[in-house]
Amino acid sequence: MAIVRNIVKENYFRDSIQLMQLSEEAKKIPGVLDVALVMATETNKEILERLGLLTEEGSRATKNDLVIAVKVENEEQLNSSLASIENMLTRTSISAAPTITERIFYSVDSAIEFNPDANLALISIPGEYVKDVAVRLLEKGIHIHIFSDHVPIEHELELKKIASSKGLLVLGPGAGTSIINGKAVAFANSVRRGSIGIVAAAGTGLQEVSVLLDKVGIGVSQGLGVGGNDVKESIGGIMTLDCIKALEDDEETSLIMVVSKPPDPPVVKKIIKSIEESKKKFVLCFLGSQTYKVPKKLVKRAYSCRSLHSAVLRAASMVGPETYREAETKISMKLSEIKKLVKDLSAKLNPEQKYIRALYTGGTLMYESLLIYRELLKDVYSNAPLDPKYKLADSFKSYKNTVVDLGEEEFTAGRAHPMIDPTVRKLRIVEEAKDSEVAVITMDFMLGYGSNPDPVEAMSSSILEASKIAAEKGRKIVFMGHVCGTELDPQNALKQEEKLKKMGVVTFPSNALMAFASALLVKRGKIAPEKIKKVYKMFLEK
């Protein structure tokens, strides 16, 4: 009989990504059946319990403690495996000798002294400490990209005011993605250089737009992630406006896209004013329940769209008719094609299968899908809903049609983001398969630097297990996937899509297409034709 043991190391902190890497390494130890090294947050303890790896010792641990949870075949293997894991922890606590391309610094000043020509710094530390580090960098004339979340709003405002007065950029806080001079920053993709500049208050929104632009052959000049708070009245769009100005002055940029969830009205007015003062073309993609009307004097130079998909089509049409035709071919599907696909997939479902379970790692893509589902399905529940009355009672348990952002704090406390660590989604997909009313499960697969090195492979065992669970009950679940990435990404988008197709997963070139098709599927196409055409035009045409 297998042995499960928890070792608690009190007040022993290790970064969640480092612990995930150690866990994967520890799984290779002979005799180890399963293992996890985690900080003892409530989320992690719940996951350990679901994995069958939590003992009484582990359950008593606090969020400041590290838990080594291991399952082995016998007592002898337990002792040897624990000794090996302890050695791994000790090894990682001692800084390795720096390589030719990597050095470790213990202060901002020493790093700048060694790199006197540096003009951009990425900050990824606990939010409450960001201000002190960022101010010192701004004083040195260095632009900053703040990956950190939970930076107090008053700190963000102060930093952006300082930066703006100095002609510097503060990208973030909570900026998951930027593309600067062709280089990917944080969670970004390897996309071709081109003439379109992007200002985004949405990380995976920037990823989706840049990837789709790459697919249609246009490319990106710069992609600047300003953080979600920037378009709120409390910040006033300081960096959104400064980034627009920077792209206005950039000779390589001919068209500027602004991507965001709905900005607060005063910020929209400021953005429109900046467009009026500009001479370049604009596409505004303010994801939301309404299309923002562009002033008449800006018609044919600025357009507003309601989805990431339609924004890219609009941009392509503004580049030229041939480019637009290429875009339609590469990232779109005709309505008749979608209806035919849905009809074929519907034949595989039982009558009681009537719900969607959408499991997202990308928050903006989740939000985009909610907008489409709201039009076609009405009642859709989420841990981050459009309407508070559809808030899930328990984020870990789906109800009817459910769309979940697995990157929200309740899933990531003490854990690596699900773009890196698939554990939470792997568990969730198996649970969803046990529900006899589930018809379709949709997933995004975010590629690029910083993401899991093989996200499809990481999910494959759970997809196959979920399919088996359904089959044993005489059901078939339709799996749909969207790979957000390019062939140049480390994971290679084509190879990822091929793996999904081999498992029977239906893939789509854009997230909006996947959401639209999945909604028609669960409704078996029983939606008024006029409504279907309206929503298609709203989200899937330019």
Side-chain angles (χ1 to χ4, degrees):
M1 183 177 177
I3 300 171
V4 176
R5 179 71 56 83
N6 285 183
I7 302 296
V8 177
K9 301 180 79 65
E10 295 182 359
N11 297 312
Y12 193 102
F13 177 80
R14 285 291 180 272
D15 177 80
S16 58
I17 295 177
Q18 186 181 60
L19 291 177
M20 185 192 74
Q21 293 169 337
L22 285 171
S23 297
E24 292 303 311
E25 187 176 348
K27 287 177 182 177
K28 299 174 184 176
I29 298 173
V32 170
L33 302 175
D34 202 359
V35 63
L37 285 76
V38 295
M39 297 305 297
T41 63
E42 292 305 313
T43 298
N44 283 337
K45 286 192 284 188
E46 182 173 342
I47 290 170
L48 288 178
E49 186 172 15
R50 293 173 66 186
L51 289 170
L53 290 175
L54 186 67
T55 67
E56 188 175 340
E57 291 81 4
S59 65
R60 291 198 299 264
T62 73
K63 64 180 181 180
N64 297 316
D65 303 335
L66 187 151
V67 175
I68 303 171
V70 61
K71 180 189 288 187
V72 293
E73 295 173 346
N74 55 56
E75 194 75 30
E76 182 180 348
Q77 290 169 336
L78 176 66
N79 294 331
S80 62
S81 63
L82 285 174
S84 297
I85 293 169
E86 289 279 4
N87 285 335
M88 291 178 190
L89 274 173
T90 303
R91 184 188 69 220
T92 57
S93 67
I94 301 173
S95 299
T99 65
I100 295 174
T101 58
E102 177 183 303
R103 288 184 66 91
I104 296 172
F105 301 96
Y106 295 95
S107 73
V108 171
D109 291 337
S110 62
I112 294 172
E113 184 178 346
F114 185 80
N115 300 280
D117 297 326
N119 62 2
L120 173 69
L122 188 148
I123 299 176
S124 180
I125 58 177
E128 62 266 34
Y129 305 119
V130 163
K131 178 185 168 182
D132 290 342
V133 174
V135 167
R136 288 158 67 191
L137 289 166
L138 292 173
E139 288 173 346
K140 299 286 187 179
I142 296 175
H143 303 281
I144 52 179
H145 182 287
I146 303 174
F147 187 77
S148 310
D149 287 316
H150 310 301
V151 176
I153 197 75
E154 62 272 17
H155 291 184
E156 178 176 349
L157 180 60
E158 182 179 348
L159 290 173
K160 289 185 172 179
K161 283 183 175 179
I162 293 171
S164 188
S165 70
K166 293 176 174 289
L168 298 171
L169 298 181
V170 170
L171 303 175
T177 303
S178 285
I179 302 169
I180 300 175
N181 293 334
K183 301 297 182 182
V185 180
F187 289 119
N189 302 88
S190 180
V191 300
R192 72 184 75 199
R193 298 297 300 276
S195 61
I196 296 186
I198 307 168
V199 180
T204 51
L206 196 160
Q207 284 190 265
E208 176 82 341
V209 166
S210 63
V211 163
L212 293 179
L213 287 171
D214 180 271
K215 282 184 179 180
V216 305
I218 301 175
V220 175
S221 57
Q222 308 289 341
L224 306 174
V226 298
N229 285 333
D230 196 76
V231 293
K232 295 179 181 177
E233 189 172 2
S234 54
I235 301 299
I238 294 173
M239 279 301 128
T240 298
L241 300 174
D242 281 3
C243 287
I244 289 174
K245 181 63 168 61
L247 293 175
E248 170 69 21
D249 295 338
D250 179 27
E251 294 181 358
E252 294 182 3
T253 300
S254 62
L255 186 152
I256 300 171
M257 299 182 73
V258 183
V259 180
S260 172
K261 294 176 184 177
D264 287 345
V267 178
V268 174
K269 289 181 180 179
K270 291 179 181 180
I271 293 172
I272 294 298
K273 184 179 179 182
S274 71
I275 294 174
E276 291 174 346
E277 296 170 352
S278 170
K279 295 180 180 179
K280 295 190 175 180
K281 299 176 183 178
F282 280 79
V283 173
L284 303 178
C285 180
F286 296 156
L287 298 164
S289 58
Q290 62 177 337
T291 300
Y292 287 82
K293 290 186 177 180
V294 175
K296 288 184 179 180
K297 59 183 174 182
L298 295 178
V299 171
K300 294 188 178 179
R301 189 165 72 82
Y303 293 87
S304 178
C305 303
R306 288 181 58 179
S307 77
L308 304 167
H309 183 109
S310 61
V312 172
L313 288 178
R314 173 58 68 182
S317 72
M318 294 169 75
V319 172
E322 188 174 328
T323 303
Y324 176 66
R325 285 192 292 271
E326 179 78 2
E328 278 198 310
T329 301
K330 292 288 180 65
I331 69 170
S332 290
M333 294 174 66
K334 293 179 180 179
L335 183 54
S336 58
E337 290 180 77
I338 300 173
K339 287 182 175 180
K340 172 67 167 57
L341 174 65
V342 167
K343 183 179 179 181
D344 293 343
L345 293 174
S346 296
K348 302 176 182 180
L349 300 175
N350 294 337
E352 69 270 18
Q353 290 178 271
K354 55 186 177 181
Y355 294 130
I356 284 173
R357 299 293 157 80
L359 308 178
Y360 278 94
T361 62
T364 308
L365 301 192
M366 186 277 295
Y367 187 85
E368 181 184 48
S369 73
L370 277 177
L371 293 171
I372 295 171
Y373 290 146
R374 181 170 64 181
E375 297 290 336
L376 295 172
L377 302 177
K378 303 299 182 187
D379 301 347
V380 181
Y381 294 83
S382 177
N383 61 327
L386 300 176
D387 186 331
K389 71 180 180 181
Y390 295 116
K391 174 84 171 176
L392 286 171
D394 182 347
S395 295
F396 288 83
K397 295 180 181 178
S398 297
Y399 178 70
K400 295 186 177 180
N401 289 312
T402 292
V403 182
V404 182
D405 177 6
L406 296 167
E408 284 288 303
E409 188 175 351
E410 64 264 35
F411 295 110
T412 58
R415 299 193 64 80
H417 193 279
M419 287 187 196
I420 303 169
D421 182 359
T423 303
V424 175
R425 187 156 70 169
K426 286 167 67 72
L427 293 170
R428 186 66 171 258
I429 197 173
V430 172
E431 288 301 310
E432 304 293 7
K434 296 174 184 176
D435 187 339
S436 63
E437 293 186 309
V438 172
V440 56
I441 296 175
T442 70
M443 290 173 284
D444 59 338
F445 294 87
M446 306 302 296
L447 311 188
Y449 298 96
S451 294
N452 188 285
D454 194 345
V456 172
E457 184 64 32
M459 287 298 302
S460 62
S461 61
S462 293
I463 292 172
L464 295 173
E465 183 180 353
S467 297
K468 182 179 178 183
I469 289 170
E472 289 174 348
K473 298 294 183 180
R475 294 180 282 113
K476 180 175 178 61
I477 294 173
V478 175
F479 290 93
M480 293 182 173
H482 165 54
V483 175
C484 180
T486 73
E487 294 178 57
L488 295 177
D489 281 328
Q491 304 89 343
N492 190 313
L494 282 182
K495 290 182 179 179
Q496 294 292 306
E497 288 177 355
E498 287 170 5
K499 289 182 181 181
L500 286 172
K501 290 173 183 176
K502 284 182 180 179
M503 289 187 286
V505 178
V506 184
T507 62
F508 294 85
S510 78
N511 176 66
L513 268 173
M514 178 172 71
F516 182 80
S518 61
L520 295 190
L521 178 60
V522 294
K523 298 294 286 188
R524 307 296 198 274
K526 294 178 181 178
I527 303 172
E530 300 79 19
K531 183 69 171 178
I532 293 175
K533 288 180 182 178
K534 179 183 176 182
V535 176
Y536 180 85
K537 183 178 180 64
M538 194 183 299
F539 294 102
L540 295 170
E541 291 185 345
K542 64 179 180 179

